[in-house]
Amino acid sequence: MAATILSGKRERLYKVLVVGELGSGKTSIIKRYVHQFFSQHYRATIGVDFALKVLRWDGDTVVRLQLWDVAGQERFGSMTRVYYKEAVGAFVVFDVTRSATLEAVPKWKADLDSKVALPDGRPIPTVLLANKSDQPKEGIAASREKMNEFCQQQGFSAWFETSAKENINIDESANFLVSKILEMDRWSQEATVPDPDKVDISANGKHKLNSSSNCAC
Ligand code: GTP
Ligand code: MG
């Protein structure tokens, strides 16, 4: 977390992780959120990709969200500890049409909780996204009650049904996570924002390492 005051405006920079199984729609959600764009074409993310979303949160607060789009295939890799470092919030994404992607959610949540925490040791606020909600749902994704229960058991701050394709609940879920992060942050730390230009985003966007239904469960 970092803060600075630029021309009367308070700026916050937050690192937010987006994780979940292969093909669940992480990249699509980020593309929709940041670039207002959707494609049916699937190209698996390799390693990690980045995107930056700038939010004019209120009259004098600007929030810069640095979104880390972690490849689904990374769960068994050793890199997640490096990727997760200093994150202050996360989305775990699953695909409502494939219950196996929901069954993998506890492993992603446990991976997060074992590798990253807030400075005071609490888990980082994490929101579960039930994506592809424009499609027929499989398994417990079809039951709001069961999803509420699951979300609570797993320690998520909330869950949202999303569709990157139809632009459903993308802004809402992000706003919810940002409000949780701001609540927890409470402007307590006055540090300097690292220059975002120093984050090495190469031309192809790869990082070089140097409701509908939501419950606030
Ligand atoms: P990895 O990078 O391999 O981990 O996958 P990912 O989670 O980034 O998935 P990606 O965003 O690449 O999406 C996978 C496929 O699902 C693509 O063909 C997308 O077009 C499709 N998809 C993503 N979101 C939605 C959605 O909300 N609805 C529908 N119908 N399809 C979606
Ligand atoms: Mg991807």
Side-chain angles (χ1 to χ4, degrees):
M1 276 170 273
T4 191
I5 297 176
L6 295 174
S7 56
K9 284 203 191 290
R10 201 187 292 262
E11 268 207 17
R12 308 296 285 180
L13 175 68
Y14 295 129
K15 173 175 171 180
V16 168
L17 304 168
V18 185
V19 302
E21 288 297 274
L22 272 175
S24 55
K26 300 175 295 294
T27 301
S28 301
I29 287 168
I30 292 169
K31 289 231 161 89
R32 167 64 74 190
Y33 184 50
V34 176
H35 306 294
Q36 294 80 42
F37 167 83
F38 176 78
S39 163
Q40 297 279 1
H41 179 67
Y42 174 43
R43 204 179 66 187
T45 303
I46 311 291
V48 64
D49 273 349
F50 280 112
L52 184 73
K53 174 84 175 180
V54 180
L55 291 170
R56 270 153 242 294
W57 188 254
D58 59 32
D60 47 27
T61 311
V62 173
V63 171
R64 299 168 77 90
L65 283 188
Q66 193 185 74
L67 297 156
W68 287 54
D69 178 5
V70 178
Q73 63 195 20
E74 284 294 322
R75 182 158 59 83
F76 301 107
S78 54
M79 289 306 287
T80 57
R81 188 178 297 278
V82 178
Y83 298 155
Y84 293 176
K85 206 165 173 271
E86 289 172 3
V88 295
F91 291 107
V92 178
V93 183
F94 75 96
D95 174 349
V96 297
T97 71
R98 292 184 290 137
S99 49
T101 64
L102 177 59
E103 283 153 22
V105 164
K107 292 178 193 153
W108 281 103
K109 182 70 166 66
D111 193 45
L112 286 170
D113 290 346
S114 66
K115 293 176 181 165
V116 63
L118 297 175
D120 66 5
R122 281 180 300 158
I124 60 172
T126 303
V127 169
L128 179 62
L129 301 182
N131 191 44
K132 307 198 190 177
S133 65
D134 54 283
Q135 300 284 308
K137 301 177 184 71
E138 188 180 273
I140 77 161
S143 158
R144 210 162 278 195
E145 265 176 28
K146 287 188 180 151
M147 283 300 299
N148 285 343
E149 206 177 303
F150 179 83
C151 169
Q152 204 160 15
Q153 276 169 1
Q154 292 295 319
F156 286 100
S157 304
W159 71 280
F160 288 78
E161 275 185 2
T162 57
S163 168
K165 185 179 179 193
E166 305 292 341
N167 195 15
I168 297 168
N169 272 344
I170 305 293
D171 286 339
E172 289 80 356
S173 54
N175 285 342
F176 178 88
L177 183 62
V178 171
S179 67
K180 280 277 158 197
I181 294 170
L182 286 168
E183 209 176 277
M184 156 215 93
D185 189 4
R186 290 181 200 284
W187 317 115
S188 57
Q189 296 183 16
E190 289 298 325
T192 309
V193 169
D195 185 350
D197 295 334
K198 286 186 184 150
V199 174
D200 181 4
I201 300 172
S202 61
N204 66 4
K206 293 278 186 299
H207 177 57
K208 308 270 169 43
L209 278 175
N210 128 22
S211 165
S212 44
S213 80
N214 71 298
C215 89
C217 42

